[in-house]
Amino acid sequence: MIHLEEVNKIYPTANGPVHALRDLSIDVEQGEFVAVRGPSGCGKSTLLMTVGGLVALTSGRVVVAGEDLRGASPATKARFRAEKIGFVFQMFHLLPYLTVLENVAAGAARGQQGAARRRAGELLDKFGLPHRLKHRPAELSAGERQRVAIARALVNRPQLVLADEPTGNLDPDNAGVVLDLLASFHHEGGTVLLVTHQERAASCAQRTILLRDGAIDA
Ligand code: ADP
């Protein structure tokens, strides 16, 4: 599902180049639940965004869900993300002026709006939020917002969910709910790559990739 081969990412900055990923080679099988851990600045987010086709590589090869991302055009990458990937972030990143239902349906592929609204309603129902469809994100608790964000990530039935510290802003109870939702996506055959600092979150995964200075920490 995920194949990284000798990947390097160097960010050019005003203070000189920052080598965020160093000769990184990783394979994740379809249906695996993998945690990514390591100290702050070790390249976890860069790795996740690389897998999501959001980072222009310096060198190396990245193939995700059958898509070779190295030479892919922006349009191909956008379609790849829309069809195959769901993103979940620590800060939720919901659109404040849309309702909960609209936020979830907004991720739908073009021409699929009607079906997306139905699927969004089903997911929000399943995630315990049927009474919140017309609310704005600001009217929701942090745990509820993250459940909405997970519904949005799943609305297009992705093969892979990329989650960057999804429980980092949640209390233990709400973190547990969010981890259960990711685990249930995994049990239904989905692949999960989860960046986390938290022991409990990592324990949901089948294995952990530990990074240090942009490389596997052996
Ligand atoms: P982590 O998620 O493990 O905290 P990141 O992938 O965010 O690590 O960052 C890895 C390194 O790359 C850090 O040194 C960070 O400062 C640097 N970095 C990340 N994004 C950028 C960027 N857009 N421009 C310049 N440097 C960046």
Side-chain angles (χ1 to χ4, degrees):
M1 166 61 72
I2 300 173
H3 176 69
L4 266 69
E5 207 174 302
E6 303 273 307
V7 166
N8 282 279
K9 173 61 188 177
I10 299 174
Y11 293 105
T13 76
N15 298 313
V18 175
H19 209 145
L21 300 179
R22 297 172 186 267
D23 294 327
L24 187 62
S25 296
I26 287 174
D27 279 290
V28 174
E29 300 299 321
Q30 185 169 342
E32 267 197 291
F33 190 148
V34 177
V36 180
R37 304 186 74 187
S40 185
C42 71
K44 301 181 297 297
S45 295
T46 302
L47 167 60
L48 217 62
M49 295 304 131
T50 296
V51 172
L54 290 165
V55 163
L57 291 186
T58 306
S59 67
R61 183 157 184 254
V62 178
V63 183
V64 180
E67 198 79 53
D68 190 337
L69 296 177
R70 184 169 40 182
S73 67
T76 301
K77 285 188 193 172
R79 186 178 40 75
F80 154 80
R81 279 193 294 274
E83 291 177 358
K84 298 185 174 169
I85 313 281
F87 289 92
V88 184
F89 303 96
Q90 179 171 2
M91 299 301 290
F92 326 125
H93 294 319
L94 299 173
L95 294 169
Y97 48 86
L98 295 184
T99 67
V100 160
L101 184 69
E102 288 165 347
N103 260 286
V104 175
R110 205 174 295 166
Q112 306 281 311
Q113 255 67 24
R117 281 181 85 87
R118 278 195 299 282
R119 165 111 171 119
E122 285 164 17
L123 284 167
L124 290 163
D125 201 27
K126 187 170 152 193
F127 293 1
L129 296 167
H131 53 306
R132 293 280 187 252
L133 302 189
K134 291 184 178 163
H135 288 239
R136 312 269 161 192
E139 297 162 356
L140 271 54
S141 71
E144 289 173 330
R145 284 184 219 183
Q146 196 60 303
R147 277 186 269 160
V148 174
I150 294 180
R152 176 185 58 189
L154 299 185
V155 76
N156 286 334
R157 303 182 192 279
Q159 298 172 27
L160 171 64
V161 165
L162 301 175
D164 198 347
E165 295 277 9
T167 56
N169 265 353
L170 303 180
D171 60 54
D173 285 352
N174 280 302
V177 171
V178 160
L179 293 171
D180 284 348
L181 295 179
L182 292 176
S184 127
F185 168 73
H186 170 237
H187 286 137
E188 288 164 14
T191 309
V192 181
L193 201 56
L194 166 70
V195 165
T196 184
H197 277 107
Q198 297 170 337
E199 192 70 45
R200 176 172 172 214
S203 70
C204 293
Q206 296 163 300
R207 69 180 166 104
T208 294
I209 293 171
L210 196 57
L211 292 183
R212 178 180 295 273
D213 286 339
I216 302 284
D217 188 7

